[in-house]
Amino acid sequence: MIHFIPEIQTKLSEIQSIAYIDEDTGQLDNYSPNFPVKWPCALIDISSVVFSDIGKDRKKTPINRQNASGDIVITVANLKLTNTSKLAPVGQKQHAWSIHEEIQNIHEKLQGFRIMENTSRLVRKRFRRTKRDDGVQQYEITYGIEATDV
């Protein structure tokens, strides 16, 4: 699992319009006007992993082998400082809603992406919005992954 975040970061870097791609270390939790990201951003986190034993292989270390089933969360965020009301200019609305294009671009890159030979392909499981009061649009996309012999 140590390779998951760098591999996903490399895959997402193929999307030129995302200005900042990194591991999620709480960059959006500060709620200050000076976030340590560029907009739009994609933050990667391994949110949970469940392990199950599958036996022993005395030729490997550790000898007890396991399967892992987990969730990888991509947090997509952008700063939205203008409204998108019915009377707002079209260009203003398109810019404010561009985060949804980024979400689609991310999904096109990650859905079915295999990080390593011993992993399943990524499969989208959940999508949710985080409501904020500081002008940041924030969404989380959760992908499921399984790995064998870990």
Side-chain angles (χ1 to χ4, degrees), residues 6-147:
E7 291 295 328
I8 292 171
Q9 185 179 36
T10 299
K11 188 68 173 172
L12 292 181
S13 69
E14 296 173 9
I15 305 170
Q16 299 297 317
S17 55
I18 299 177
Y20 184 86
I21 304 166
D22 198 0
E23 178 180 12
D24 188 343
T25 59
Q27 296 94 321
L28 300 178
D29 296 344
N30 193 6
Y31 286 87
S32 87
N34 300 313
F35 292 97
V37 300
K38 292 182 181 178
W39 308 106
C41 68
L43 304 174
I44 308 158
D45 191 21
I46 301 171
S47 68
S48 66
V49 180
V50 176
F51 296 93
S52 61
D53 290 327
I54 59 173
K56 295 183 179 189
D57 185 343
R58 297 193 188 284
K59 296 176 187 169
K60 295 188 178 182
T61 303
I63 62 172
N64 291 19
R65 308 313 304 169
Q66 293 183 307
N67 280 336
S69 178
D71 292 335
I72 296 174
V73 177
I74 310 298
T75 300
V76 186
N78 199 9
L79 193 58
K80 179 183 174 185
L81 299 176
T82 59
N83 75 62
T84 52
S85 70
K86 182 179 183 290
L87 299 177
V90 172
Q92 179 175 306
K93 288 195 250 188
Q94 288 173 338
H95 177 71
W97 289 331
S98 66
I99 191 168
H100 300 288
E101 292 175 24
E102 301 305 343
I103 291 166
Q104 180 62 30
N105 292 338
I106 288 168
H107 179 64
E108 289 172 4
K109 290 293 180 185
L110 294 184
Q111 179 73 11
F113 175 58
R114 176 172 272 153
I115 296 173
M116 299 172 61
E117 188 175 305
N118 71 326
T119 65
S120 67
R121 296 182 185 279
L122 293 175
V123 176
R124 183 174 54 187
K125 293 172 62 175
R126 279 184 298 281
F127 176 83
R128 77 177 190 102
R129 182 178 75 136
T130 302
K131 289 187 179 185
R132 299 177 62 118
D133 62 3
D134 58 359
V136 175
Q137 293 171 297
Q138 183 175 330
Y139 294 87
E140 292 180 357
I141 314 162
T142 302
Y143 289 88
I145 189 168
E146 293 187 12

